[in-house]
């Protein structure tokens, strides 16, 4: 079987932190990536890995847009106040 190369770009600070943590466990980034990719190939993604459903995505987008538009979300200073503002028409 022929080896294949995987290349990924990542922030250098993140890379350095990951290298240090993996080094403490006797692993290189390449070794860890081989483990992860092999696990996904053989078993699929971990059960706790996922993307938000459409309703959650829409809610997040609505919140981000409201925040960007400097809306009433900026005025909430605690969870009860936020809930009250969100329930207003």
């Amino acid at each position: 079987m022929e080896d294949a190369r995987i290349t990924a770009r990542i922030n250098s600070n993140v890379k350095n932190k990951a290298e240090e943590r993996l080094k403490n466990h006797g692993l290189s980034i390449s070794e860890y990536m081989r483990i992860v990719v092999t696990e996904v190939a053989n078993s699929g993604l971990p059960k706790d890995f996922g993307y938000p459903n459409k309703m959650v995505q829409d809610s997040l987008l609505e919140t981000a847009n409201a925040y960007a538009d400097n809306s009433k979300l900026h005025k909430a200073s605690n969870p009860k106040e936020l809930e009250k503002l969100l329930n207003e028409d």
Side-chain angles (χ1 to χ4, degrees), residues 20-51:
E20 280 302 310
R21 289 185 179 215
L22 289 168
K23 184 178 173 183
N24 291 334
H25 295 279
L27 293 168
S28 68
I29 287 182
S30 291
E31 290 164 330
Y32 181 75
M33 292 305 299
R34 275 193 294 278
I35 292 167
V36 171
V37 172
T38 300
E39 181 66 21
V40 169
N42 292 331
S43 304
L45 291 171
K47 65 179 178 176
D48 59 345
F49 185 92
Y51 294 97

Side-chain angles (χ1 to χ4, degrees), residues 44-80:
L45 291 171
K47 65 179 178 176
D48 59 345
F49 185 92
Y51 294 97
N53 63 32
K54 176 90 169 104
M55 186 173 74
V56 173
Q57 288 176 8
D58 290 346
S59 178
L60 291 170
L61 184 59
E62 179 183 343
T63 302
N65 288 337
Y67 185 79
D69 292 341
N70 198 18
S71 76
K72 61 187 176 185
L73 294 179
H74 284 225
K75 299 174 187 171
S77 58
N78 60 59
K80 281 189 174 227

